[in-house]
Amino acid sequence: MNLRFGDFVRGKCEKQSGIASSPGVSQPGALESKNKNVNRMEWLIVIVLLAILFYFFVMKKHGNLDFWKIAAKNPDSAYQLFKDEDCWLIFEDKSLALNFPPGEWDGPFKLSVPMLGGKIITVYGKVPEYFQSQQRFMRKQSVTITSAQVIKLLITEVANTGASELLNECEKIGMRQIRYQNIGLDSNLPPFDTGYHLRFNPDGKEEALFEILQKDGFVLQAGYQLVLQRAQNRYQQLKQILESHYGVGYPMNVGEIELINYGNEKTIAYLSHTKISGNDVITIRVGNRRFWD
């Protein structure tokens, strides 16, 4: 066996110092390994503490982040959920209640609601019931309803089914019924008995308001409206879908409103585009011809 001079000297020094023969003294490699293990344990403790802090100061304050992303995209539907289910508390002004009902409540959560004029509401969720409420809401929102699907439903069903039947069909494909409010979207309508409002996200994008107007049990008119920041692509998409059913429409302008009219032997329809408060507003309506001729 050949030893280099440095190996011989190192071995001799270690032997003289007692490092190699003393069982109570750790080797340099063992010390380094022990230090590494200590460092790993310290990092694990830090990670666990950060996870606990994240839960109490982020998750308990902001809740299910996926849910709140979807709620921000569908604020009116989320607001309706908070009103309909007892596991949520809503405060629509700055004077928050000091005394909560019994139970543990997470929050506060904040949400801007368009149907309240953009007012920011404060919401609390009751543990654990609101966890399930969030999951149900997210499952409903995950259903993708295409524009082509809705327009086909309108054209084929408006003149052939009753208003309640059309409402059921809309709910079957994933639309969410909300309380009806006559907001006067069409000023030249014939008289009608009642109406229905639903929310959905055409093509998985911006939320739309769907409306059914009932006359003598039949559908007088149905359709939906979108409020967008930029509407040109969506407007052209809807125009192409309508033309695939009706053929070429008849364009016209009414003031600042760009309008295209369509029709066949059973239904009449229009697609409009205008700007309101800096936003692009697209409206599509299909009417039952029996009430319009």
Side-chain angles (χ1 to χ4, degrees), residues 134-234:
Q134 289 179 323
Q135 293 298 324
R136 289 193 297 271
F137 183 80
M138 289 191 292
R139 282 195 297 270
K140 288 182 179 180
Q141 300 296 328
S142 67
V143 178
T144 299
I145 308 170
T146 67
S147 298
Q149 180 183 11
V150 175
I151 291 174
K152 181 179 179 181
L153 179 68
L154 286 168
I155 295 171
T156 56
E157 300 298 326
V158 160
N160 296 317
T161 61
S164 59
E165 286 78 14
L166 178 58
L167 176 65
N168 290 335
E169 290 299 319
C170 290
E171 291 182 320
K172 281 181 183 178
I173 64 174
M175 294 188 191
R176 308 170 296 278
Q177 186 177 4
I178 62 174
R179 183 170 62 87
Y180 173 73
Q181 291 179 298
N182 186 358
I183 53 181
L185 291 178
D186 295 283
S187 59
N188 60 340
L189 284 171
F192 60 94
D193 302 325
T194 188
Y196 306 94
H197 275 162
L198 303 99
R199 292 279 182 183
F200 77 109
N201 298 76
D203 307 306
K205 298 180 181 179
E206 297 86 352
E207 190 174 49
L209 175 66
F210 191 94
E211 182 178 76
I212 303 171
L213 300 181
Q214 178 177 310
K215 174 68 174 177
D216 299 331
F218 297 99
V219 178
L220 169 69
Q221 175 181 277
Y224 64 95
Q225 186 176 81
L226 282 165
V227 179
L228 312 167
Q229 292 184 341
R230 296 183 62 184
Q232 191 59 34
N233 291 337
R234 302 297 294 279

Side-chain angles (χ1 to χ4, degrees), residues 183 185 207-209 224-232 234-235 238 256-259 270-285:
I183 53 181
L185 291 178
E207 190 174 49
L209 175 66
Y224 64 95
Q225 186 176 81
L226 282 165
V227 179
L228 312 167
Q229 292 184 341
R230 296 183 62 184
Q232 191 59 34
R234 302 297 294 279
Y235 183 74
L238 295 174
E256 298 296 321
I257 302 174
E258 181 183 357
L259 193 69
Y270 74 82
L271 173 66
S272 71
H273 171 228
T274 190
K275 277 191 173 291
I276 299 177
S277 300
N279 292 314
D280 287 306
V281 180
I282 296 178
T283 305
I284 177 172
R285 293 283 187 264

Side-chain angles (χ1 to χ4, degrees), residues 1-195:
M1 178 174 66
N2 295 321
L3 292 175
R4 291 174 296 175
F5 178 73
D7 295 329
F8 173 77
V9 173
R10 187 183 306 112
K12 187 175 180 181
C13 291
E14 288 174 349
K15 195 169 185 179
Q16 288 178 350
S17 64
I19 293 176
S21 58
S22 301
V25 179
S26 300
Q27 298 289 338
L31 287 171
E32 183 178 350
S33 176
K34 183 177 180 180
N35 288 334
K36 286 182 178 178
N37 289 334
V38 171
N39 288 337
R40 289 195 190 100
M41 288 299 297
E42 289 176 347
W43 275 109
L44 285 173
I45 293 170
V46 169
I47 291 170
V48 170
L49 288 174
L50 287 174
I52 294 171
L53 291 172
F54 179 80
Y55 173 77
F56 280 100
F57 293 101
V58 177
M59 293 304 292
K60 280 183 74 68
K61 181 176 178 61
H62 299 291
N64 186 322
L65 298 183
D66 289 335
F67 169 81
W68 290 105
K69 287 179 183 178
I70 295 173
K73 190 177 179 181
N74 307 276
D76 287 339
S77 292
Y79 175 66
Q80 195 67 41
L81 169 78
F82 302 148
K83 290 178 62 178
D84 291 343
E85 300 198 8
D86 294 336
C87 59
W88 298 97
L89 284 179
I90 309 173
F91 301 102
E92 297 183 10
D93 54 42
K94 295 182 180 179
S95 58
L96 303 182
L98 297 177
N99 297 318
F100 285 87
E104 181 183 355
W105 296 85
D106 282 353
F109 312 121
K110 304 285 186 178
L111 185 68
S112 175
V113 182
M115 68 188 299
L116 299 179
K119 179 186 292 185
I120 296 177
I121 62 171
T122 302
V123 185
Y124 289 82
K126 186 176 183 180
V127 180
E129 289 88 343
Y130 90 101
F131 301 146
Q132 289 76 35
S133 176
Q134 289 179 323
Q135 293 298 324
R136 289 193 297 271
F137 183 80
M138 289 191 292
R139 282 195 297 270
K140 288 182 179 180
Q141 300 296 328
S142 67
V143 178
T144 299
I145 308 170
T146 67
S147 298
Q149 180 183 11
V150 175
I151 291 174
K152 181 179 179 181
L153 179 68
L154 286 168
I155 295 171
T156 56
E157 300 298 326
V158 160
N160 296 317
T161 61
S164 59
E165 286 78 14
L166 178 58
L167 176 65
N168 290 335
E169 290 299 319
C170 290
E171 291 182 320
K172 281 181 183 178
I173 64 174
M175 294 188 191
R176 308 170 296 278
Q177 186 177 4
I178 62 174
R179 183 170 62 87
Y180 173 73
Q181 291 179 298
N182 186 358
I183 53 181
L185 291 178
D186 295 283
S187 59
N188 60 340
L189 284 171
F192 60 94
D193 302 325
T194 188

